[in-house]
Amino acid sequence: MAAIGTLARTRATTDESIALPLDTILTGDCIARMRALPDASVDMIFADPPYNLQLGGELFRPDGSHVDAVTDDWDKFDTFAAYDAFTRAWLAQAHRILKPHGTIWVIGSYHNIFRVGTAVQDLGFWILNDIVWRKANPMPNFRGTRFTNAHETLIWASKGEKAKYTFNYRSMKTLNDELQMRSDWEFPICGGPERLKKDGVKVHPTQKPEALLYRILLACTKPGDVVLDPFFGTGTTGAVARRLGRHWIGIERELGYVGAAQERIDAALPLDESALATMQSPRQQPKVAFGTLVENGYLTPGATLTDAKRRWRVSIRADGSLVSECGQTGSIHRLGAGLQNAPACNGWTFWHYEAAGGLKPIDALRQTYLLATQP
Amino acid sequence: MAAIGTLARTRATTDESIALPLDTILTGDCIARMRALPDASVDMIFADPPYNLQLGGELFRPDGSHVDAVTDDWDKFDTFAAYDAFTRAWLAQAHRILKPHGTIWVIGSYHNIFRVGTAVQDLGFWILNDIVWRKANPMPNFRGTRFTNAHETLIWASKGEKAKYTFNYRSMKTLNDELQMRSDWEFPICGGPERLKKDGVKVHPTQKPEALLYRILLACTKPGDVVLDPFFGTGTTGAVARRLGRHWIGIERELGYVGAAQERIDAALPLDESALATMQSPRQQPKVAFGTLVENGYLTPGATLTDAKRRWRVSIRADGSLVSECGQTGSIHRLGAGLQNAPACNGWTFWHYEAAGGLKPIDALRQTYLLATQP
DNA sequence: CACATCTGTGAATCCTCGG
DNA sequence: ACCGAGGATTCACAGATGT
């Protein structure tokens, strides 16, 4: 992993000549700083934008110009328009900076998330999920006037409708005890020793829990990927990225946060490579053709396969194709689909062979072959 | 309660002379029908507008069966702009029709809810909460490409920032075992005998559960109030309103839905105490995945676990999977079973970690986590 | 009759690669 | 760009059927 603060060559596909400030906090205005980053250069963006209009104590008009809040007259329309202009400005930069296969995450509450989501869609991003962070221990509504505001919403989007993207499905399923990870996540709010404090006072009002970023980075990035956080705050994204072996870039205008973030990230301990390994999808394993198993004697031409319920019997031919009792032939997949009259079929799990302990799927032989041949 | 189909005097504060079509289904276009309703005349609006799903091709389950998707014409819009125009048109009417102290509820998914929420704010409504309906039994993501889409979002808004509104705080607290009602609600999707069917086929593709409307009407209306539903469908709002002693007005374009709705509402009887109990969501017992402990720092990737007799040593990986000394991987349950050559294994009691007083089962950490996060 | 097993289905933006 | 083939992919609940 690159040392904190070093400049490293970007691995951007479009331009290898521009250096990215990897593992660095950039101070200053997020839009200006983003403008200086190259096209298609980061793998993920995580953004926790401000949701009130007091952007660092200043207000902006729809055109981005500065407003003197004391003398200018504000109504709600101006307020929303200004927020929208700000949102679209930084999201447009985010879209430009993102690699074609990258994704963006944005977190917000009902005050701003609808405006953010509309802008995300209007700028061409393609929403993949909205995720609900259910707070295990939210602050109660003390006056009893509304429902306890017990969640925040995240939007996960790709760069466009047809864009590919990283989603570590197996890792998420493993993390959730072998059930698909759902769109509602429960985490405690950030507190205890994780919460950064100075002189007993919390450093940042809305510090996000590391567990939240942990799940996001694990789900949608690979080790070595670059994650940009344009509203870095106290650096939760950086700390988790470093722990998980991902590169990070932070942008933050408040110097009080920058110092705390840097200190915190320096203290974050990177996990070693073996701990970073995760469950792989079968797609990422080397592909094994069914014929290979026949060639290598794991199955003999002429031997019989059946489905789990023994409804169909087929026999194996020398080239790895199958032939049914009524003469139909095809690959393990095609014939399985054809016999069931289904649009598709995974022959590896559909077809079984007679083993010592009963019927076993031929996929077991593939796994045995892979274990025997992989270093 | 007024008989179905009668005209009754509105109790609108602004104009006592205009009659409202109480407890009636109005057929036809929702915007045109709303235009004919008087200003400031209803206490609540519940709206379940088209979601604009933008589905692609056919989808099949892993077992080969076909997914019956929402392909109805009423959900099709050419562009976001067309959807926005439609949304703003009906929301503007809703704002006009609503009494000064009334509130509006709108339900949607990530496909449309951000656009709806933006329009709600732009039209002067004031958002009070966003509510998450967590589905107990959502449809899985069959291709493993995203997170399971396991929730829908509701927006609750008053007529303006300073508007008063009805919120039956005590009712909600009682309904929730004397804890404040949170913004995340869990209900099963609508099925079983509640799901309207004709010749074995569902009448409406997206019928909402009565429990959802029950909670909404109980929270934000008083007996005798008037509830308008401009996208009435099969009349869930009307059926629940009648049971709870609220007046209702439905607008629906599809005549096939109108007949089913009228029949259903005619059969709806005021709820008795025992029926009320079943409408309440059961106290969900918290489930904790092993990965949650890793995400929250109770165990660190790279740390070692053993069984009680120290026969096997495994190490924890970033996604909560385990890897044995001979390279086998899997979840706590699967790897425990695999190493023992057993069909199944409870990983929570099988695997132990090194604690101050010796080996402890990882289940102890789960208990600690629950104690720390449950109120 | 009790219990186990099988089957159906729900607001879903649901594949990837090589030729 | 299209086309074809490989082969990866599901959870909770209700209701029907089987033992």
Side-chain angles (χ1 to χ4, degrees), chain A residues 74-157:
Chain A
W74 277 101
D75 62 22
K76 255 199 310 292
F77 174 78
D78 284 341
T79 306
F80 282 133
Y83 189 76
D84 291 346
F86 167 73
T87 299
R88 282 159 199 264
W90 74 258
L91 275 174
Q93 288 301 314
H95 196 268
R96 182 185 61 77
I97 294 168
L98 204 58
K99 288 186 189 174
H101 295 181
T103 59
I104 186 170
W105 285 80
V106 192
I107 184 168
S109 68
Y110 67 83
H111 305 90
N112 71 321
I113 198 67
F114 303 114
R115 314 204 76 86
V116 168
T118 299
V120 161
Q121 291 179 313
D122 288 347
L123 285 167
F125 290 106
W126 192 248
I127 298 182
L128 299 166
N129 278 118
D130 60 335
I131 298 289
V132 172
W133 166 29
R134 305 176 53 221
K135 301 181 184 183
N137 44 355
M139 188 186 306
N141 181 294
F142 293 111
R143 299 178 56 193
T145 54
R146 303 179 185 192
F147 298 98
T148 303
N149 199 357
H151 75 275
E152 292 188 26
T153 301
L154 299 105
I155 294 171
W156 177 43

Side-chain angles (χ1 to χ4, degrees), chain B residues 30 121 136 211 317:
Chain B
C30 85
Q121 291 180 313
R317 303 198 296 182

Side-chain angles (χ1 to χ4, degrees), chain A residues 134-138 147-151 186, chain B residues 131 176 179-185 215:
Chain A
R134 305 176 53 221
K135 301 181 184 183
N137 44 355
F147 298 98
T148 303
N149 199 357
H151 75 275
E186 178 174 314
Chain B
I131 298 290
N176 197 37
L179 289 176
Q180 278 192 354
M181 188 68 82
R182 296 167 42 112
S183 56
D184 52 336
W185 303 353
R215 186 172 294 181

